[in-house]
Amino acid sequence: MIVVEILVIIIYGLALLLIFLYALAQMSLLLNYLKSKKIPDTSEQFNFSNPDEIPLVTIQLPVYNEMYVMERLLNNISKIDYPKHKFEIQVLDDSTDESLETTANHIQQLQQIGLDIKHITRTNRIGFKSGALKEGLKTAKGEFIAIFDADFLPKKDWLLQTIPYFKNKKLGVVQTRWSHINRDYSLLTKVQAFALDAHFTLEQVGRNIQGHFMNFNGTAGVWRKECILDAGNWQADTLTEDLDLSYRAQLKHWDFKYLEHVETPAELPVVISAVRSQQFRWNKGASENFRKSFLKVIRSKNVSFKTKIHAFFHLLNSTMFLNMLVLAILSVPMLFIKQHEVYNLYMLGLGFFVLSSVMFFVFYWYMYKTIYGKGLKNFIGYIGMFFTFFTIIMGFSLHNGIAALEGHLGKRSDFIRTPKFNINTITDTYKGNKYLKTKTSYNTVFEGLLALYFGFGLYSAFTITQHGDFGFFALHFMAFLGFGYVFLRSLRLSV
């Protein structure tokens, strides 16, 4: 029995250590972000008052069965402010439903008003999104390739704000910040926005300003066509082709530019099945890219040690869900193990890792106040959002942890698109959406069981000794609520 106890303590301690080191890396990015505010942007830019400096641009719109948002997407893109003879639009349409015909009709109407827009279709979906992008690149006329997913709505001056930076001939990518048109639709969208806002402020700026590897986010960015080809073109051997190409390009010494001030509105998934498919793809893809790229980063003689450290945690980001799951599950037996006095010193040592929570609290607060502002009212709102966020992501830790594990083990799976709903305001509804999945996964069953498991942990806090032991109570309470929320929301769409 004592061997099992020691094994539990060691694994628990290792999970805590990795989370602590990850928190330190995030704090490093926060410090980089704060320093960036004192550094003026002196980037060279094209002078668009000189027509000869305005380059040719191709806008690629990779779509697949986007019946509810295609009209919105095409109408929005048709209003882009850029000389008409200097840009073309490729609708890379792999659709297999009635949206294929309605999209073709809409494109014909836009062609009649003088827009250079082409409807490119394939008889198969080889390579999924990366395959479509690669196919379009063969005939793309543009020197620069702007990419937007179907749920993105770039502003009219988007190209005017991004393309000028490519006067720097070493610049391979310009990435812009996502914003969210339906942030306040539900608790689920608020949590997603909270997580994405941290990535698109502190993380992207923190990496980019110090020359660490960052990533093109799959949409709302522009590539130099030469950079794509030089880095080996789009490849479909991971579920996150954007992260893959980003690392290959930076290993080829191409520069990346992140523009926090250029905002690109988009729609967040509003149902949990859509969030599940998106999260699974992102987290598994990150692990696949860790396997594919990290050793290349380590072996590169032109990459600094600090950049290698940040690349490690960047590519291992999704594995934190696995650590979180291990930490939560082992915390219940740890509640019983810690009653033995022989482990008292070790337990005191583990308390040091409370600092991880403090660092995450500070990290996310800087993001929150950047978007919502300072003040007591906003700080109180932040406290509630911070704990809600960690409660919900703990509920997703089984689903995302399995995705990360599959990626590390090399298990292949298809690219599952995230369904779009055309949800713009709180009064819009997704009922009747034909792309909704209603089948309950095995993960949902286990999430329900985990909610009961952590309910037992809560009960044990009161009964384990005469006066109780509430050292893990907050963790178990958040895990109970998180897994319960994910279980019930998933079940509601399955009955």
Side-chain angles (χ1 to χ4, degrees):
M1 187 65 180
I2 194 168
V3 174
V4 174
E5 290 177 352
I6 292 173
L7 186 62
V8 168
I9 289 172
I10 290 173
I11 296 174
Y12 186 83
L14 288 173
L16 274 176
L17 177 61
L18 194 53
I19 289 173
F20 176 71
L21 293 175
Y22 179 75
L24 285 176
Q26 295 297 88
M27 288 302 291
S28 173
L29 294 178
L30 171 58
L31 293 175
N32 292 347
Y33 180 82
L34 296 176
K35 290 176 185 175
S36 75
K37 299 305 173 184
K38 302 174 183 177
I39 303 173
D41 189 347
T42 57
S43 302
E44 262 193 309
Q45 296 188 40
F46 287 126
N47 176 17
F48 274 14
S49 63
N50 179 1
D52 293 335
E53 289 199 36
I54 302 177
L56 189 61
V57 177
T58 297
I59 297 177
Q60 291 188 326
L61 308 175
V63 298
Y64 172 70
N65 292 351
E66 311 287 7
M67 183 174 74
Y68 299 99
V69 295
M70 279 307 301
E71 182 178 1
R72 183 182 72 180
L73 172 68
L74 293 174
N75 287 341
N76 184 81
I77 293 296
S78 69
K79 296 173 184 174
I80 288 287
D81 184 12
Y82 202 77
K84 277 193 168 62
H85 66 289
K86 288 285 189 173
F87 85 103
E88 65 168 344
I89 302 168
Q90 292 182 332
V91 181
L92 309 175
D93 194 352
D94 282 354
S95 297
T96 56
D97 65 0
E98 62 268 36
S99 68
L100 190 66
E101 183 178 352
T102 56
T103 296
N105 292 334
H106 198 152
I107 288 172
Q108 286 179 0
Q109 294 172 19
L110 294 175
Q111 288 170 339
Q112 289 170 6
I113 63 171
L115 208 60
D116 185 358
I117 181 170
K118 300 175 180 64
H119 194 201
I120 300 174
T121 61
R122 300 191 296 168
T123 57
N124 57 63
R125 290 189 71 210
I126 293 175
F128 302 102
K129 180 181 176 180
S130 63
L133 293 170
K134 188 174 183 179
E135 185 71 21
L137 202 64
K138 294 177 182 177
T139 56
K141 295 184 291 188
E143 182 183 351
F144 303 103
I145 312 294
I147 301 171
F148 300 102
D149 284 346
D151 47 345
F152 279 74
L153 301 167
K155 297 177 182 178
K156 289 176 63 175
D157 63 349
W158 195 91
L159 289 179
L160 301 178
Q161 291 193 74
T162 56
I163 297 299
Y165 289 94
F166 283 101
K167 186 165 186 178
N168 172 9
K169 294 188 180 299
K170 293 176 60 182
L171 187 63
V173 172
V174 169
Q175 174 65 51
T176 65
R177 178 171 62 88
W178 298 4
S179 62
H180 322 289
I181 61 176
N182 60 337
R183 170 194 297 272
D184 296 320
Y185 186 78
S186 67
L187 179 63
L188 192 61
T189 56
K190 288 178 181 177
V191 167
Q192 292 175 79
F194 187 87
L196 288 169
D197 287 341
H199 173 68
F200 282 99
T201 53
L202 308 189
E203 291 183 351
Q204 287 287 60
V205 174
R207 292 189 180 105
N208 189 224
I209 198 68
Q210 291 296 319
H212 302 321
F213 282 16
M214 58 166 280
N215 61 295
F216 166 67
N217 292 104
T219 177
V222 191
W223 283 84
R224 188 187 293 270
K225 185 177 180 180
E226 180 189 352
C227 173
I228 296 175
L229 298 175
D230 182 56
N233 214 325
W234 297 103
Q235 297 176 8
D237 55 346
T238 74
L239 291 178
T240 45
E241 73 294 323
D242 46 6
L243 180 60
D244 172 33
L245 185 56
S246 296
Y247 266 70
R248 285 188 279 117
Q250 287 165 110
L251 282 168
K252 284 273 193 172
H253 314 303
W254 286 96
D255 293 340
F256 278 37
K257 179 77 176 176
Y258 179 69
L259 301 179
E260 183 186 6
H261 68 279
V262 180
E263 174 186 323
T264 310
E267 177 187 338
L268 292 163
V270 294
V271 296
I272 203 160
S273 60
V275 178
R276 278 182 177 277
S277 63
Q278 186 181 73
Q279 287 287 311
F280 191 88
R281 187 175 72 248
W282 287 355
N283 286 287
K284 183 169 182 175
S287 296
E288 289 174 330
N289 274 288
F290 182 87
R291 293 177 70 247
K292 180 175 181 177
S293 299
F294 184 64
L295 286 180
K296 295 175 185 176
V297 175
I298 289 295
R299 291 167 182 160
S300 176
K301 296 178 181 178
N302 298 309
V303 176
S304 71
F305 177 74
K306 195 170 183 180
T307 296
K308 290 176 180 179
I309 293 296
H310 277 286
F312 173 79
F313 286 107
H314 185 198
L315 293 172
L316 213 61
N317 180 48
S318 64
T319 307
M320 291 304 118
F321 284 104
L322 200 56
N323 275 288
M324 186 184 299
L325 179 64
V326 169
L327 196 72
I329 289 175
L330 292 184
S331 66
V332 174
M334 284 292 289
L335 176 64
F336 292 88
I337 292 172
K338 73 192 289 274
Q339 306 308 315
H340 304 318
E341 292 185 3
V342 68
Y343 300 122
N344 282 354
L345 187 61
Y346 182 80
M347 293 300 167
L348 286 173
L350 292 182
F352 172 74
F353 292 99
V354 172
L355 282 174
S356 298
S357 300
V358 175
M359 286 190 284
F360 284 128
F361 186 86
V362 172
F363 177 84
Y364 283 100
W365 164 240
Y366 272 91
M367 172 275 294
Y368 193 87
K369 75 175 183 177
T370 298
I371 294 172
Y372 294 100
K374 304 175 184 178
L376 180 62
K377 183 178 179 181
N378 282 338
F379 183 68
I380 292 171
Y382 165 70
I383 293 172
M385 194 64 230
F386 178 81
F387 286 103
T388 301
F389 166 69
F390 272 95
T391 295
I392 302 303
I393 66 166
M394 193 171 291
F396 274 99
S397 63
L398 175 66
H399 178 77
N400 292 349
I402 290 172
L405 187 61
E406 285 189 6
H408 285 302
L409 295 176
K411 181 181 178 182
R412 299 300 302 273
S413 56
D414 287 344
F415 183 102
I416 306 298
R417 125 197 198 286
T418 305
K420 318 300 189 301
F421 300 93
N422 198 1
I423 297 294
N424 302 289
T425 69
I426 199 167
T427 58
D428 292 336
T429 181
Y430 54 82
K431 291 182 179 178
N433 188 296
K434 64 178 285 186
Y435 302 129
L436 274 176
K437 290 184 178 180
T438 57
K439 185 179 179 181
T440 304
S441 72
Y442 290 114
N443 287 358
T444 301
V445 176
F446 286 111
E447 285 155 356
L449 292 174
L450 281 169
L452 295 176
Y453 176 76
F454 292 110
F456 168 74
L458 292 173
Y459 169 79
S460 300
F462 291 94
T463 60
I464 196 165
T465 66
Q466 184 178 354
H467 302 292
D469 185 333
F470 299 94
F472 291 103
F473 193 84
L475 175 62
H476 292 164
F477 186 62
M478 291 170 67
F480 172 73
L481 291 179
F483 282 107
Y485 172 83
V486 171
F487 171 71
L488 292 175
R489 281 296 301 263
S490 301
L491 205 61
R492 194 173 74 180
L493 285 174
S494 305
V495 294

